[in-house]
Amino acid sequence: MATHNNHPGHPNHLGHPNNLGHPGRPHTDIRITMHAGQPPLPTVKTGLDVLVSEKFARLKGLRVGLLAGPASIDHRIRHVLPLMLAHGVNVVRLFGAEHGFWGEAQYMESVSDATDPSSGLPVISLYGQSVESLTLNPKHLVGLDVLVCDLQDVGSRYYTFAYTIAFAMRSCAAAGVRCMVLDRPNPIGGVHTEGGDVLPDFRSFVGEYALQTRHGLTLGELAHFFHGVDGHDCEPEVVAVQGYKRAMHFSDTGLPWVLPSPNMATPDTALVYPGACLFEGTNLSEGRGTTRPFELVGAPYIDDPFRFAETLETLALPGVEFRACYFQPTWDKHAKKVCAGVQMHVTNREHFLPLRTGVALIVCAKRYAGFDWRREPYEFVSSRLAIDLLFGSDEPRKLLERGAGVDDVMATFSEGAQRFAPLRAGVLNAAY
C-alpha cells in the first residue's frame, strides 16, 4: 500500500490568522478567526459545541490526546484542534483514523505517523500497513490523562471510525486513561434500522461487532454498546448532543456538513451508503472517481443503462428512482473507462431502504456476463471475500450465486436483526 503523510501539507488549511496561537508549543500557528454577524445557533449542539460553550472547562489541567478528523468542527465550522489550543487545553498528541487526521487519504490507503505542520504536535496513525496498526500502542498513551474522540459517523456498520474508537477504548482501559467521546448526530436518522448483524467468523474492520448494517445509533451510543460488549473498565465519558431528536436527518439539525472522509461527500451520500457500500465487494464501480460517489453505480459490461434502470424500476423499491446514465471514473475501478449504470435519486428518505436497494442493484447487475465479486484482500483480510465481510455472512452471497431474488437475501438478515434489537435498546440515549 502507498504511504502518505498524515496531513495535507497546506500551512493555511485551518483558516485565517488572528494571533490566537498556543504559547510554548513549536510551530503553533493555529489560529481562529472571529467574525461579526455570526449566523444563529443551529437546532442541535454537538458534543464539541457543548465543550466550547463551557470553554473546555472539563479538560483544564489535563494532558489530552485528540482523536479527530476533518469533520470534527463546531457549528461555526471551526476545527476542534485550534479551538482546544486557543482555549489553553494541553493537547499532547494527535491521533488519526482511516483517511488521516485531516482526511486526505483515500479508502484503504495506509497513513504514516507524522508531525502536524500547524501545531507541531505528533500525529499517530491508527490506519497503517497492517491490522496491528489499527490498535493504539500503549506507548502512545503514556503521559495522557484523557483521550478525546471526536469523529463524525455516518450510520452504517461498515464505516470504520466507530471501530477505531472501540479499539482506543480497549487501549485506554489497559492503560488507565480516561476516554471522552464527543457525540454527534447520526446523519441518516436514529429511528430506522436495516440488515443483519455479523457472525463471529466474518468479523473485520468493516464489522468488528455484531451491529446491524444500518444501526440507528449515534457514535456516543455506539461507544456504550462497545463497552457493554467488551466489558472492560473504560466506561466512555460521552458528551451528549443537545437538541437532537432521533427522527432527525442531518438537514434537520442546522449543522454544517464537512466531509468526514474523501468520498462521503454529502448527507445524501451517507443515506445511500448502507446499501451502496456493498458495491465495494463487487467489480461494479460505486462511483469513486466521480462527484457523486455511492449514488452512481455501473460498469463497462452493462451494455444498456436504460434497460438496467427499467429492470430496477420493476422491483418497486420504496423512496428511490433510478436515472440511467453513463459516467467515467477518474480513478479506482474502471478508471478512465465509460461505465453504464444508474444514479440513485432518493425521493422519500423515510420510506427509502438503502440496504434493500443495494441488494437489488447487485441482483440486477449479476445478470450481466462481466459481473464478479471483488477478489483482492479487503480491510486487511485475504481469507474471506469482501462481499461476505460486508454482509457479515457468506449466506447472502451464496444465495445470490444461486440466482436468489431480493426477498430471499433480505430474509437472511432477520435473525441478526432480532439479536441486535435488545442490545440497541439498552444503549439508546433517552434524551434523543
Side-chain angles (χ1 to χ4, degrees):
M1 293 184 180
T3 304
H4 281 231
N5 288 333
N6 205 358
H7 59 77
H10 300 297
N12 295 321
H13 66 278
L14 292 178
H16 303 291
N18 76 337
N19 299 318
L20 278 178
H22 189 77
R25 201 176 300 285
H27 306 296
T28 305
D29 58 358
I30 291 181
R31 304 167 178 96
I32 302 173
T33 303
M34 306 297 180
H35 299 282
Q38 293 294 337
L41 288 175
T43 303
V44 169
K45 291 176 69 174
T46 66
L48 175 58
D49 283 315
V50 172
L51 288 193
V52 171
S53 68
E54 299 172 352
K55 303 186 186 303
F56 291 93
R58 306 185 199 199
L59 300 177
K60 291 299 171 65
L62 300 179
R63 297 166 297 178
V64 175
L66 176 62
L67 169 58
S72 306
I73 58 163
D74 73 349
H75 72 278
R76 290 167 58 185
I77 325 181
R78 300 177 301 180
H79 193 267
V80 60
L81 176 58
L83 282 168
M84 282 186 169
L85 296 181
H87 284 84
V89 177
N90 182 19
V91 182
V92 174
R93 204 167 293 130
L94 307 177
F95 299 90
E98 185 178 6
H99 310 292
F101 187 84
W102 293 113
E104 73 280 11
Q106 288 294 342
Y107 81 123
M108 294 193 294
E109 185 175 321
S110 65
V111 181
S112 61
D113 294 348
T115 299
D116 178 58
S118 298
S119 65
L121 290 167
V123 185
I124 307 303
S125 172
L126 298 179
Y127 196 89
Q129 297 185 9
S130 68
V131 69
E132 290 77 20
S133 70
L134 306 178
T135 302
L136 263 170
N137 191 304
K139 69 181 182 181
H140 295 140
L141 292 172
V142 172
L144 297 184
D145 298 308
V146 60
L147 176 68
V148 176
C149 305
D150 187 14
L151 295 170
Q152 176 65 64
D153 189 55
V154 300
S156 295
R157 180 223 295 146
Y158 326 115
Y159 210 60
T160 62
F161 289 177
Y163 307 125
T164 297
I165 290 180
F167 294 172
M169 288 168 55
R170 296 177 189 174
S171 298
C172 285
V177 173
R178 294 163 54 192
C179 184
M180 180 181 291
V181 177
L182 309 187
D183 208 1
R184 291 181 175 272
N186 183 325
I188 62 175
V191 173
H192 302 295
T193 63
E194 197 180 2
D197 60 4
V198 184
L199 299 183
D201 289 344
F202 296 88
R203 301 287 168 84
S204 73
F205 206 45
V206 290
E208 179 64 23
Y209 292 78
L211 291 166
Q212 265 190 280
T213 312
R214 181 179 181 179
H215 49 68
L217 299 171
T218 70
L219 197 56
E221 291 169 332
L222 283 170
H224 284 302
F225 174 81
F226 299 147
H227 175 257
V229 172
D230 288 341
H232 51 58
D233 294 332
C234 185
E235 176 78 34
E237 303 174 40
V238 175
V239 182
V241 178
Q242 296 181 3
Y244 171 67
K245 297 303 177 186
R246 195 165 299 282
M248 287 180 171
H249 286 248
F250 198 82
S251 60
D252 301 320
T253 67
L255 294 168
W257 178 264
V258 167
L259 290 76
S261 55
N263 292 285
M264 195 54 61
T266 69
D268 292 339
T269 319
L271 186 56
V272 300
Y273 187 72
C277 187
L278 294 175
F279 309 143
E280 290 185 9
T282 74
N283 66 347
L284 289 164
S285 169
E286 63 270 18
R288 279 193 169 90
T290 76
T291 58
R292 303 303 290 192
F294 298 106
E295 294 176 55
L296 291 168
V297 57
Y301 55 77
I302 294 177
D303 55 2
D304 185 346
F306 295 94
R307 182 164 55 114
F308 188 49
E310 288 171 1
T311 303
L312 285 162
E313 292 292 354
T314 65
L315 298 177
L317 295 159
V320 64
E321 301 287 345
F322 299 96
R323 180 183 63 86
C325 65
Y326 293 90
F327 61 93
Q328 187 177 94
T330 59
W331 64 279
D332 203 54
K333 297 179 199 170
H334 310 305
K336 311 296 184 182
K337 297 179 181 178
V338 174
C339 294
V342 295
Q343 181 177 356
M344 288 179 276
H345 293 264
V346 177
T347 56
N348 188 318
R349 65 189 185 189
E350 294 304 319
H351 293 165
F352 177 57
L353 299 172
L355 182 61
R356 186 179 185 87
T357 303
V359 169
L361 277 155
I362 293 176
V363 166
C364 294
K366 257 195 102 287
R367 299 170 184 171
Y368 291 85
F371 178 89
D372 197 6
W373 306 116
R374 181 192 184 106
R375 306 289 176 177
E376 301 87 358
Y378 184 72
E379 292 293 357
F380 307 101
V381 177
S382 58
S383 59
R384 301 272 186 196
L385 287 176
I387 192 66
D388 295 346
L389 299 178
L390 290 163
F391 275 133
S393 162
D394 59 3
E395 186 180 4
R397 186 224 347 136
K398 290 177 177 178
L399 282 171
L400 287 164
E401 288 175 344
R402 294 197 294 265
V406 178
D407 289 339
D408 293 328
V409 175
M410 296 303 296
T412 67
F413 303 135
S414 60
E415 289 186 13
Q418 290 171 15
R419 286 191 294 266
F420 179 63
L423 301 175
R424 177 178 182 271
V427 297
L428 295 180
N429 186 327
Y432 300 165

